[in-house]
Amino acid sequence: MFSSIIDKSHNQKILKVLFLEDDDKIVSIVEDFLKAYFFKLTVSVNCIDVLEILEKNFFDFIIIDADVSGINLIEQITKIKEIDNELSVVIIAKDINSDLMKKCIQLSVDGYLLKPLEREQFNLIIKKEIAYQNSKYRLESNINYLNQYVDVVDKSTIISKTDIDGKITYVNENFCKITGYSKDELLGITHRILRHKDNPDILYKEMWDTIKTQKKEWHGILKNISKSGKVYYIKSTIKPILDLEGNISEFVAFRDSVNVVLDDKKHLLSKIESNKLSLLILVQIEEFDMLEKFYNIVKVDQVEKTFASNLLAYLPDNYIFEEVYALGDGRYALLCDYYAFEKLKFNINQYLEIFVKNVTESVLEIDGIEYDLNVILSYSCGKYSLYEDAKAGLEEAIEKNKVINYSNDSSIKINREAKKNFEIIKMVKIALDNYKIVSYFQPIINNKTREIEKYESLVRLINEEGEVISPYEFLNISKKGNYYNKITSRVLENSFKMLEFVNTKLSINLSALDIEKEQTRKEIFSLLDEYKEQNNRIVFELLEDENVKDFRSIKLFIKRVKKRGVMIAIDDFGAGYSNFERLLDFEPDILKIDGSLVKNIEKDAFSRNIIETIVTFAKKQKILTIAEYVENETIFNLLNEIGVDYSQGYYFGKPEAFEREK
C-alpha cells in the first residue's frame, strides 16, 4: 500500500498526478494501478488542455502516453518543463528508440513504462517517484525551517562573516546598529576598525590560534568602539566553517551585547547562589526620584536604559563583569566571582572611586537633552545574605550621604531593626485589642485671659506593664504595619466621647493620609452626625505629609466639615512641608506654629522673625495662631508681645488622662 511505501514524515501529503492519454482502456488500467496508492488523478486527452491545467494547478508528476494522436513528445515535454521545471515526467510508450531516449535524458525525464503495462514494472516506477517526492519534500521542509531559524538568529543576534584572511564579507542590521557603520563601509575590511586599544594583543593571538590553527570555536568578551567613539562590550562566539574536506572556507561570528542582559532580581539571586564566592556591587542613580518628578515615564525609562548600556564602560576594567542587572528605580547590580576580581590586583575602594569619577565626569545625551548623573554604591563579598547585605548597605549609604559603602553584615542590623519593629507592632495590636490606645489632653490657653479655651487630644499607648508610651515610639511603625488607621479610629472615638465631659473646644489631630482614606472620612462624618450639636466645638488639626497624592479629596473634606461648624487648624506651620500657598487651598481657621521655632525664640532672632512673619500674615487673613512648646514665662511673654493668640506647653500643663468627674 501507499502508506507502506511513502516516508512517514510525508504520509499526509497526497501526490497529485496529471495523465495525458486519449485511450480510455489505458486510462482505466492506469487509474486502477493508481488507486492502490491513493493518488489523485487528473486526465487530459490533448496537449493544449495539459498546458492550461499546468498553468493553473500544481502537480507532483505527469504521465504522458507517447502514442497519443497528434503529439510531438519532445516538444510537449519541453513546454511542460518551461512551465514547471521541478515536475517529474514519466513516459508510456510501445517502444523507446535510442534517439528518443537520448533526447528524453537531455530533458531530465524521470521514468519510462513500456506497453503493455505490467503491475510490477508500474510499481517500480511509482516507488521511485514516491521516494523522489519524499526527498524533495524533506529538503523543502528543512530549507523552510532553516530559513526561519536563520531569520530569528539574524534579528536577535549581532552577526558577521569574514573570509579566511579576516576580511568582512557579510554583516547583519544589528551589527550596523551597534557599530554605527553601514554595510558598504564594512564590507572588504577587517574588524580592526572596531578594536579598542584596551584589548591586549595576546587576546587576539589566542583567538586566531583557536579558530585558524585548531579549527575550534572561540568564546570571549571584547571591548569595541563604534564609529561615533562610543565604547561597548560584546560576548562573542567565532566559529570556523569547514568544507567537506575539512578546510576552512570562512569564519562566522555571533555576538551579544553584554551591557544589559537581565532585568530580574530572581536571575541575580540565582547567579549568586550558583557562585562559590561573589563580589556584588549595587549602583543607585542619585536622586532618581527627582528625575521622575521632572520628566515623563518614557524619558525616565530612556535614561535608565541608556545609563545601563553605558554602565560597564565607566568601570576601570570590565572583563570580570559580563552582565548588568537592572533592578528598577535607577538601581543596578554587578556580580562577579570574587577570586576573579582579586586577580585584577585592584583595591576595591579605589576601583569603585574611579567608577564614580567616570560617571560624574560623563554626560548622558538623549534627544538633545544632557543629563549629569551621580551614583551611590554599596558592595558586599561572600555567598550568604549577599544581596540583603548590599541592599541594606545601599539604603544606609543613601541615608548617611555616603558615596561608597562596604556593607557586609548590614542585613544583620536590618534584621535587628525588623525584630524591634515586629515587637512594636505586636505591642500596638495587643493595645488595640484591650482598648489601651487612649487619649491624653493638653490645655490650650488664651494668651490675653490665660484661661483654658481648648484641649488637644493626644494619643498614648498603655503597654502590658502599665507604662504610658509616647506616639513617637509606635506611630510611624504602625503606618508600616497597617495599624495606623485603627489607631486613628480609636482616637476619634475617644475624643468625641470626651465632648460630654468638657465644655471647651477640642482639637483632634488628623494626618492628610487619614483624610485620603475613604473609610476614615466615613467614620468622621458618622461621628459628626452623632454629635451634631457639638460640631462647633471640634477643631481638626491637619498634619501635612509629603506622600499625599489626592489634595482634591482633602480640600473637599475641609469644605464639608467647615459647613458643619468645625474649625480647621494647620499643625507644625513654619517647618517641614507647610507653605503659604497651601493655606490658600485649605483656608484654615487656626495656624499652630511649629514647636522648633517656639523653643528657640529666646536665643534665635531668625526663629523670632519667622514667627512674627507668620503672625502678621495670619492677622491679615483673620487666622488665629497657637504656639506649641511654651516651656516658660519668658517664651510666653515674647509670644504675647508678638501677638500670638494662644499658647500650649508644659508651662501651662502637660498632656494628662482626663478625669471624667472633673
Side-chain angles (χ1 to χ4, degrees):
M1 296 293 289
F2 173 76
S3 59
S4 66
I5 299 169
I6 197 164
D7 186 281
K8 288 183 180 180
S9 66
H10 193 44
N11 61 12
Q12 297 299 314
K13 181 174 174 63
I14 304 300
L15 297 181
K16 294 174 68 177
V17 180
L18 178 60
F19 187 22
L20 176 56
E21 178 59 72
D22 59 359
D23 187 332
D24 291 340
K25 185 178 178 181
I26 295 178
V27 169
S28 177
I29 295 170
V30 171
E31 190 172 20
D32 182 55
F33 285 162
L34 291 176
K35 280 181 180 178
Y37 300 100
F38 301 103
F39 289 159
K40 182 176 180 181
L41 179 65
T42 301
V43 179
S44 176
V45 296
N46 63 68
C47 302
I48 296 173
D49 286 347
V50 164
L51 298 178
E52 287 180 357
I53 292 169
L54 285 174
E55 289 281 2
K56 297 177 182 179
N57 301 279
F58 171 82
F59 290 90
D60 293 289
F61 64 93
I62 183 170
I63 301 173
I64 302 173
D65 188 341
D67 300 321
V68 171
S69 60
I71 185 174
N72 183 320
L73 184 62
I74 300 303
E75 182 181 326
Q76 187 69 18
I77 295 173
T78 302
K79 288 179 180 179
I80 289 169
K81 289 288 185 178
E82 287 175 357
I83 294 173
D84 185 357
N85 192 46
E86 298 296 319
L87 185 66
S88 296
V89 179
V90 175
I91 296 171
I92 299 176
K94 292 178 183 177
D95 177 40
I96 300 178
N97 57 51
S98 59
D99 185 52
L100 179 61
M101 178 68 75
K102 183 178 179 181
K103 289 179 180 179
C104 286
I105 291 172
Q106 290 173 347
L107 290 171
S108 301
V109 171
D110 299 276
Y112 309 91
L113 292 169
L114 295 174
K115 296 178 182 178
L117 294 175
E118 295 179 359
R119 183 173 293 277
E120 185 177 346
Q121 181 193 19
F122 192 85
N123 283 345
L124 289 173
I125 293 295
I126 296 304
K127 285 180 180 180
K128 175 189 168 187
E129 286 308 309
I130 289 174
Y132 170 74
Q133 293 297 335
N134 281 337
S135 63
K136 180 182 173 183
Y137 176 78
R138 284 196 299 270
L139 180 61
E140 289 173 352
S141 180
N142 289 339
I143 290 172
N144 175 54
Y145 285 125
L146 181 61
N147 287 337
Q148 293 182 63
Y149 294 149
V150 169
D151 185 56
V152 170
V153 172
D154 196 57
K155 287 178 179 177
S156 61
T157 310
I158 302 162
I159 303 173
S160 69
K161 292 198 298 183
T162 68
D163 60 20
I164 57 174
D165 296 319
K167 291 181 180 179
I168 298 171
T169 58
Y170 170 81
V171 291
N172 69 347
E173 288 297 326
N174 288 334
F175 192 97
C176 295
K177 283 179 184 177
I178 197 168
T179 64
Y181 290 98
S182 68
K183 290 183 179 181
D184 291 339
E185 290 175 309
L186 292 166
L187 296 179
I189 64 172
T190 68
H191 287 90
R192 192 179 295 273
I193 192 174
L194 306 171
R195 185 183 298 185
H196 195 281
K197 58 182 177 60
D198 289 351
N199 294 322
D201 291 338
I202 192 170
L203 182 69
Y204 295 102
K205 184 178 183 301
E206 175 197 326
M207 179 183 73
W208 279 106
D209 179 63
T210 302
I211 63 175
K212 201 166 187 178
T213 306
Q214 300 178 41
K215 299 181 181 179
K216 294 180 179 179
E217 288 183 6
W218 179 86
H219 305 275
I221 295 175
L222 294 171
K223 185 176 183 179
N224 284 352
I225 186 164
S226 70
K227 184 178 179 180
S228 64
K230 177 183 173 182
V231 174
Y232 64 95
Y233 294 85
I234 51 171
K235 185 186 292 185
S236 297
T237 297
I238 305 175
K239 181 176 178 58
I241 304 300
L242 309 180
D243 60 22
L244 294 176
E245 296 177 356
N247 299 315
I248 297 172
S249 59
E250 62 181 350
F251 300 101
V252 177
F254 300 90
R255 306 170 181 86
D256 287 308
S257 172
V258 298
N259 291 25
V260 178
V261 177
L262 301 169
D263 56 5
D264 188 344
K265 189 175 78 174
K266 289 181 181 178
H267 288 93
L268 172 63
L269 297 178
S270 176
K271 190 70 177 285
I272 291 171
E273 190 175 333
S274 65
N275 285 357
K276 291 181 179 178
L277 198 63
S278 298
L279 166 65
L280 174 64
I281 302 170
L282 289 186
V283 181
Q284 175 69 57
I285 296 177
E286 192 174 7
E287 296 182 340
F288 182 77
D289 57 333
M290 294 299 292
L291 280 175
E292 295 182 307
K293 290 177 181 177
F294 277 96
Y295 302 101
N296 62 41
I297 190 170
V298 175
K299 189 63 66 179
V300 172
D301 185 59
Q302 283 183 306
V303 171
E304 280 194 280
K305 288 180 178 177
T306 305
F307 180 80
S309 67
N310 291 332
L311 200 155
L312 292 178
Y314 299 133
L315 295 171
D317 191 319
N318 165 264
Y319 296 112
I320 56 167
F321 295 104
E322 295 186 7
E323 296 166 344
V324 175
Y325 297 84
L327 305 178
D329 296 325
R331 185 170 293 188
Y332 309 89
L334 300 170
L335 184 73
C336 74
D337 181 89
Y338 177 76
Y339 298 110
F341 184 86
E342 272 199 331
K343 290 178 182 178
L344 293 179
K345 301 191 183 303
F346 249 117
N347 175 281
I348 180 64
N349 280 298
Q350 291 176 347
Y351 182 86
L352 295 178
E353 283 169 5
I354 296 171
F355 170 69
V356 171
K357 182 173 179 288
N358 289 341
V359 173
T360 303
E361 292 178 351
S362 67
V363 175
L364 281 187
E365 185 174 337
I366 303 172
D367 297 334
I369 300 175
E370 293 185 346
Y371 301 86
D372 294 306
L373 301 179
N374 295 309
V375 291
I376 298 171
L377 309 178
S378 170
Y379 69 94
S380 57
C381 308
K383 179 174 177 64
Y384 302 104
S385 300
L386 193 66
Y387 176 75
E388 291 80 0
D389 282 346
K391 182 174 179 287
L394 190 60
E395 289 166 359
E396 182 183 12
I398 293 169
E399 182 182 344
K400 296 183 178 179
N401 293 320
K402 295 172 70 174
V403 177
I404 301 172
N405 191 26
Y406 173 60
S407 55
N408 268 35
D409 299 327
S410 292
S411 63
I412 295 174
K413 179 183 175 183
I414 295 295
N415 288 336
R416 287 196 192 113
E417 291 177 0
K419 185 178 179 182
K420 181 183 176 184
N421 292 345
F422 176 76
E423 293 299 327
I424 292 172
I425 292 296
K426 182 180 175 183
M427 178 180 70
V428 170
K429 185 179 185 305
I430 291 171
L432 283 166
D433 290 343
N434 292 282
Y435 288 88
K436 294 297 183 180
I437 298 294
V438 300
S439 292
Y440 275 36
F441 298 89
Q442 186 173 29
I444 299 172
I445 307 299
N446 183 313
N447 285 356
K448 299 302 180 187
T449 65
R450 294 205 178 197
E451 296 292 327
I452 297 174
E453 287 194 10
K454 302 179 181 68
Y455 283 96
E456 182 179 1
S457 176
L458 300 166
V459 67
R460 295 291 186 268
L461 183 149
I462 311 298
N463 68 14
E464 291 181 284
E465 287 74 37
E467 299 169 323
V468 179
I469 308 298
S470 163
Y472 174 79
E473 297 185 39
F474 67 86
L475 209 53
N476 282 332
I477 301 301
S478 297
K479 291 180 182 179
K480 298 175 183 177
N482 295 320
Y483 284 104
Y484 184 73
N485 294 334
K486 294 180 181 179
I487 293 172
T488 299
S489 177
R490 193 62 52 82
V491 168
L492 286 167
E493 183 184 343
N494 293 340
S495 301
F496 273 85
K497 282 182 179 179
M498 199 53 57
L499 288 170
E500 300 172 9
F501 301 94
V502 296
N503 54 13
T504 65
K505 290 184 181 294
L506 192 64
S507 287
I508 305 169
N509 289 303
L510 286 177
S511 76
L513 293 176
D514 284 325
I515 299 171
E516 279 190 326
K517 296 282 184 182
E518 184 181 358
Q519 183 58 40
T520 303
R521 293 200 303 271
K522 284 182 178 179
E523 186 173 355
I524 289 170
F525 285 110
S526 176
L527 287 167
L528 287 173
D529 288 339
E530 184 180 347
Y531 292 87
K532 190 173 184 179
E533 300 302 321
Q534 312 297 328
N535 281 187
N536 61 343
R537 293 169 56 202
I538 295 292
V539 180
F540 286 138
E541 293 189 15
L542 301 187
L543 304 165
E544 292 203 77
D545 193 297
E546 64 172 330
N547 296 314
V548 173
K549 298 179 180 67
D550 187 6
F551 281 107
R552 182 177 173 277
S553 66
I554 295 171
K555 288 171 67 176
L556 184 61
F557 170 83
I558 291 170
K559 189 173 289 187
R560 288 181 65 191
V561 296
K562 288 186 77 171
K563 281 183 179 180
R564 293 170 176 254
V566 174
M567 298 181 75
I568 296 295
I570 301 295
D571 203 6
D572 296 333
F573 191 81
Y577 308 101
S578 56
N579 59 69
F580 289 99
E581 183 183 356
R582 186 65 64 215
L583 290 182
L584 300 175
D585 290 334
F586 290 171
E587 299 180 1
D589 304 290
I590 302 167
L591 290 184
K592 292 194 75 172
I593 301 168
D594 186 70
S596 63
L597 298 172
V598 176
K599 285 193 288 188
N600 295 326
I601 194 172
E602 292 179 89
K603 301 175 183 178
D604 185 5
F606 182 74
S607 293
R608 175 167 179 156
N609 290 338
I610 292 176
I611 293 174
E612 287 176 349
T613 301
I614 293 170
V615 171
T616 301
F617 172 83
K619 287 187 180 301
K620 286 184 178 181
Q621 300 296 322
K622 294 182 172 54
I623 299 173
L624 297 172
T625 51
I626 299 175
E628 299 180 288
Y629 290 88
V630 180
E631 308 293 331
N632 56 55
E633 188 174 3
T634 304
I635 292 175
F636 171 72
N637 289 334
L638 286 170
L639 294 168
N640 218 354
E641 182 184 324
I642 291 170
V644 174
D645 298 301
Y646 295 90
S647 291
Q648 178 182 353
Y650 280 18
Y651 179 57
F652 294 104
K654 296 180 180 181
E656 292 180 340
F658 199 90
E659 298 176 14
R660 297 193 176 190
E661 64 273 11
K662 203 169 183 175

